[in-house]
Amino acid sequence: MTLKYCQGPKCHTYTTQDRLKGMKGSKTFQTRRRSDFYYGNSNFCSLNCQNDWFGTYGDRAIDHYGRTTEPKKLTEQNAWQKTYDWNSNDDRIYVYLNKITMEQRPLTEAQYRDTNYTINTGE
Ligand SMILES: [Zn+2]
C-alpha cells in the first residue's frame, strides 16, 4: 500500500493532533499522508486543503489548460441525455432525451450503462 501526501499547500498549518509528529523537543505538524483521500480526485485530505490549492494555483492552472472566454453551447446535436422512466407495468425504461427538442429515443439498458455510448456529436 503506497501512501501519498495531501497536496494542500497549507495542510501542515492545520494543527490537528493527527498531523503532529516527532518526539518531545522535535515535534512538527506535517502534511497529512494517507493511502487515499476523499477530495479532489483523491489528492486532498479536506475541502479546505482543496480550496487552498485552488486559491494558490487555480488561476495559473486555468491559464495553463485554457481559460473559457466564450460560452460553450448545448445544441440540438449534443443535447441528448440519458435518463429513465417507468412504464405502466412499473418497469424501468431507458431513453435518450434531447433537452432542446425534448425528442425521446429508446435506449437499451446496456447502452444506458455504457459511458462511451452516445449519439451526441460535438461536446
Ligand atoms: Zn490536507
Side-chain angles (χ1 to χ4, degrees):
M1 179 175 66
T2 53
L3 298 176
K4 54 187 178 182
Y5 290 102
C6 170
Q7 295 301 301
K10 300 179 193 169
C11 191
H12 63 291
T13 69
Y14 300 114
T15 55
T16 58
Q17 282 306 305
D18 70 298
R19 289 176 172 98
L20 187 59
K21 309 285 182 188
M23 300 300 218
K24 192 177 178 185
S26 61
K27 286 185 183 297
T28 56
F29 286 103
Q30 297 188 8
T31 300
R32 273 185 175 148
R33 192 182 192 199
R34 300 273 188 281
S35 58
D36 197 17
F37 295 117
Y38 293 110
Y39 301 92
N41 289 351
S42 83
N43 284 299
F44 301 99
C45 74
S46 68
L47 206 51
N48 261 343
C49 281
Q50 181 181 318
N51 289 340
D52 288 341
W53 188 95
F54 198 86
T56 303
Y57 303 111
D59 281 332
R60 277 185 275 166
I62 288 173
D63 285 335
H64 179 77
Y65 290 106
R67 187 170 288 272
T68 299
T69 56
E70 54 190 49
K72 294 181 177 184
K73 293 174 182 170
L74 207 58
T75 65
E76 285 186 26
Q77 286 69 44
N78 64 3
W80 292 99
Q81 294 183 4
K82 293 174 181 178
T83 185
Y84 55 83
D85 206 349
W86 280 271
N87 66 14
S88 51
N89 296 327
D90 262 1
D91 301 318
R92 189 186 272 203
I93 52 166
Y94 298 91
V95 293
Y96 242 134
L97 172 64
N98 191 298
K99 299 297 271 192
I100 291 183
T101 64
M102 300 310 282
E103 179 188 345
Q104 285 192 25
R105 292 189 189 171
L107 197 60
T108 67
E109 183 173 351
Q111 288 168 335
Y112 178 85
R113 297 193 188 289
D114 181 355
T115 54
N116 291 317
Y117 179 79
T118 184
I119 59 175
N120 284 316
T121 54
E123 283 180 38

